[in-house]
Amino acid sequence: MRAVVHGKATKSEGCARNNLKKRPQAFRLHHLPLDVLRVILSQLSFKEAARTSIVSRKWKRLWRYYPKLVLTRDTMLGSSNAAGDHPTSNATTFIRRANSIVRQLSSSSSATLNKFIVKFPLLRSDADHIDRWVSLSGASRARRIVLDLCPEFEKFNDKDQMYSFPLHLFTGGSCVGGNSCVKSLCLGFVSLNLLQLPAAGTNRLTILKKLTLHKVSIAGDLQSLLLECDVLEWLSLTFCSLQHRDLVIHQPLQRLRYLRVLRCRLQKLELKALSLTEFEFANHQVPLVLGDCINMSMASVELLLPSDGFDYACTKLPVALPHVCDRLTLSMGIRTENICGLWFQAPLLMKGGSVFANLRHLILNVHIDGCPKASTGVLRLAYLLQLAPVLEELELHMCCVSTPFYTPDLDAAATSPVAAACLHERLRTVHMTGFYGIRGQLELAHRILRSTAALDRLIIDPRLKVDHYFRDRAYAGMGRTMATLCINKAQFPGTVITIL
């Protein structure tokens, strides 16, 4: 190889330079097809996509092809939203910036959206601006729509201030092309007037798979809308106000798999959903008619306080949820008073009735109220084992409101070795929390130990896992002491008893 002499390049270096000059022009990202650029943009966040406008002159309007419109506090206000800023000034800034983005997207004939999200506390007085944003989502055929206008403070939770959502813009007859394109609809703090919709059978939300309503005021018959959601798989109603307190759907929802109805003040819930696998419900004790949900695996039922929910749990729930198999979570209140001396009839309530024939895991969240000296109210919980003949695991999370009353004198009927026959053959694990050591809890522990044939482990934990607005009052130590004194581990050699 020739060496470099007096600053002259070698022969090989000169060839390399000539080859560089003959190479084609460097690859440019903006030469990619628009469809490819849209895919690349979709992998970015909304902020990152907007920043591409400063890359080059050719990319100045590229962000308009971003398939998601996300108008939230973070994207519109960002770091400028100081904690001390006035809510009115924040709302004004949010609206001004959102309008600027919507105006540019509206001027672009090629703007299409897969996702449209607005999350910011706005009121009916801002309807002119919200209408403009919602109209864009309809014109751009957005598939997922989220409009969450929930206020930050409960004192502003006034129904008269709710924005009226124009659902008619997304029904089949009003959509571009005559077909609805919304697959997921999530609304928060808005009003829905179903009386203004077209007559039934006009192809409403025919491809809607997920409907989530939170703090929504519904005027009209909700069931008339749900009946036309042929492929609905997910339905969630939380803190909603329904004009008709009875939610009754006579025709089956064939594809519904998840149903959540929380604190909607219903007087009755009735529907048919053969494919339902998960159910959540929080309400007062009302009739539940769920048809033959043979595929249900998990259910959660919260009976609102202050009523005693034991009888409802024993007689009504097994009829409504007979097929739940994997896990049932039941939250309720019970009272410890011996009401008219009728607590002994608790087993009679279940004779000849329905049971949870397939249930393997039961979680009980129990709010205990009443006289701390009475034990019968708590002891009734042992009868729930008869409702689940194949139960394998029981979690009992208790919260005692009253000041505990401690006594080593327990009821002989609850602690006698011959008082309780082996009622359960498969229960292996019991976990009790909130164990303050009151008489009812101690007798319940004895009844469970003597009513099970295959119990492997009993865990007693004085700490609270379920706190209904009450705090641990330093009774944990006393609960631990009472459990140690009153539960003789030697009497149950086949069970590992752990006192935490």
Side-chain angles (χ1 to χ4, degrees):
M1 182 180 294
R2 297 173 56 187
V4 179
V5 180
H6 301 297
K8 295 182 179 181
T10 64
K11 184 177 180 179
S12 59
E13 290 176 343
C15 294
R17 291 180 180 177
N18 292 333
N19 290 336
L20 288 175
K21 293 180 180 179
K22 295 178 181 179
R23 286 184 180 179
Q25 188 177 6
F27 171 75
R28 302 293 181 182
L29 190 61
H30 63 264
H31 290 162
L32 289 173
L34 182 59
D35 292 341
V36 177
L37 290 176
R38 283 174 55 89
V39 174
I40 296 175
L41 281 177
S42 65
Q43 305 303 314
L44 305 177
S45 67
F46 184 75
K47 282 185 176 181
E48 292 170 341
R51 289 170 182 163
T52 60
S53 61
I54 64 176
V55 172
S56 67
R57 196 180 310 172
K58 294 184 178 181
W59 280 32
K60 185 176 181 179
R61 295 179 176 84
L62 182 62
W63 68 272
R64 297 183 181 182
Y65 297 96
Y66 187 68
K68 309 170 189 176
L69 179 58
V70 183
L71 307 179
T72 63
R73 183 182 298 274
D74 179 60
T75 58
M76 293 295 99
L77 302 181
S79 59
S80 64
N81 180 28
D85 289 348
H86 195 275
T88 303
S89 63
N90 284 339
T92 302
T93 304
F94 179 91
I95 292 174
R96 175 173 53 82
R97 295 179 179 177
N99 282 336
S100 176
I101 293 175
V102 171
R103 192 180 303 112
Q104 296 181 63
L105 291 177
S106 300
S107 62
S108 176
S109 59
S110 58
T112 57
L113 296 173
N114 290 332
K115 185 183 298 183
F116 169 81
I117 299 177
V118 176
K119 286 187 177 181
F120 196 84
L122 297 173
L123 302 175
R124 188 175 182 178
S125 56
D126 305 311
D128 292 341
H129 307 289
I130 305 174
D131 284 340
R132 189 179 303 114
W133 309 338
V134 174
S135 298
L136 173 65
S137 69
S140 60
R141 300 180 63 80
R143 294 188 176 185
R144 179 187 174 190
I145 297 177
V146 178
L147 184 65
D148 186 356
L149 309 180
C150 290
E152 297 178 345
F153 306 101
E154 285 296 326
K155 65 180 181 180
F156 296 111
N157 194 358
D158 187 355
K159 294 182 181 180
D160 295 335
Q161 298 297 323
M162 289 181 173
Y163 166 74
S164 180
F165 184 78
L167 187 61
H168 63 277
L169 294 179
F170 305 93
T171 56
S174 303
C175 291
V176 178
N179 295 318
S180 174
C181 52
V182 182
K183 290 187 175 181
S184 176
L185 180 61
C186 178
L187 303 177
F189 197 70
V190 302
S191 62
L192 280 179
N193 191 347
L194 303 181
L195 301 175
Q196 298 178 352
L197 290 177
T202 54
N203 295 324
R204 295 183 182 176
L205 300 171
T206 53
I207 66 171
L208 185 69
K209 291 186 176 182
K210 185 174 182 178
L211 178 60
T212 304
L213 304 179
H214 178 65
K215 293 185 178 180
V216 174
S217 178
I218 303 173
D221 193 0
L222 179 60
Q223 62 178 319
S224 63
L225 174 66
L226 297 178
L227 286 177
E228 299 199 15
C229 300
D230 298 331
V231 296
L232 189 66
E233 298 177 357
W234 173 293
L235 176 60
S236 175
L237 307 174
T238 56
F239 294 89
C240 292
S241 174
L242 282 70
Q243 181 178 355
H244 300 286
R245 294 294 181 89
D246 292 349
L247 181 57
V248 180
I249 304 175
H250 296 290
Q251 298 182 16
L253 300 176
Q254 298 288 359
R255 300 194 182 184
L256 188 65
R257 297 181 180 276
Y258 177 85
L259 175 62
R260 174 170 57 193
V261 182
L262 305 181
R263 299 175 183 267
C264 294
R265 298 182 180 179
L266 293 180
Q267 295 179 352
K268 183 179 183 180
L269 174 62
E270 179 178 354
L271 57 84
K272 297 179 181 179
L274 300 181
S275 300
L276 192 66
T277 59
E278 189 170 351
F279 174 64
E280 294 184 45
F281 185 72
N283 203 85
H284 293 289
Q285 301 177 24
V286 300
L288 283 178
V289 183
L290 297 180
D292 195 10
C293 303
I294 60 176
N295 297 312
M296 185 174 294
S297 59
M298 291 183 290
S300 176
V301 177
E302 179 184 358
L303 304 178
L304 302 184
L305 302 174
S307 60
D308 186 299
F310 178 78
D311 289 350
Y312 183 89
C314 290
T315 59
K316 305 300 182 182
L317 282 187
V319 178
L321 307 171
H323 300 289
V324 59
C325 58
D326 289 343
R327 184 175 71 240
L328 170 62
T329 302
L330 174 58
S331 303
M332 64 179 181
I334 60 173
R335 296 191 64 83
T336 59
E337 282 86 358
N338 185 356
I339 303 174
C340 300
L342 296 179
W343 75 272
F344 293 99
Q345 298 182 7
L348 300 178
L349 298 174
M350 290 164 280
K351 287 186 177 180
S354 298
V355 297
F356 302 110
N358 305 312
L359 183 61
R360 295 189 296 268
H361 187 181
L362 175 61
I363 302 175
L364 290 175
N365 301 319
V366 182
H367 180 274
I368 303 173
D369 194 9
C371 178
K373 296 182 180 181
S375 62
T376 55
V378 181
L379 191 56
R380 288 181 299 169
L381 296 175
Y383 296 122
L384 291 176
L385 297 180
Q386 300 180 33
L387 295 176
V390 299
L391 190 69
E392 298 176 359
E393 184 175 358
L394 170 64
E395 294 183 38
L396 178 55
H397 306 299
M398 297 171 284
C399 176
C400 301
V401 180
S402 305
T403 302
F405 174 81
Y406 301 106
T407 175
D409 299 327
L410 304 182
D411 189 351
T415 59
S416 172
V418 297
C422 292
L423 303 177
H424 210 286
E425 297 181 353
R426 297 196 183 184
L427 186 63
R428 296 188 176 277
T429 303
V430 176
H431 189 184
M432 305 175 67
T433 67
F435 197 94
Y436 282 172
I438 61 176
R439 178 175 177 176
Q441 291 177 328
L442 292 168
E443 294 179 355
L444 177 61
H446 274 273
R447 179 62 62 87
I448 291 176
L449 286 167
R450 300 191 184 281
S451 300
T452 52
L455 190 64
D456 292 332
R457 187 173 187 184
L458 171 64
I459 303 174
I460 295 178
D461 189 351
R463 294 170 297 182
L464 289 176
K465 291 292 182 68
V466 179
D467 190 354
H468 294 273
Y469 310 107
F470 291 90
R471 299 301 177 189
D472 193 340
R473 302 172 182 173
Y475 298 130
M478 194 60 184
R480 188 178 300 108
T481 301
M482 294 298 295
T484 303
L485 290 176
C486 298
I487 299 178
N488 187 354
K489 298 181 181 182
Q491 295 180 0
F492 311 99
T495 303
V496 178
I497 301 177
T498 304
I499 303 175
L500 301 178

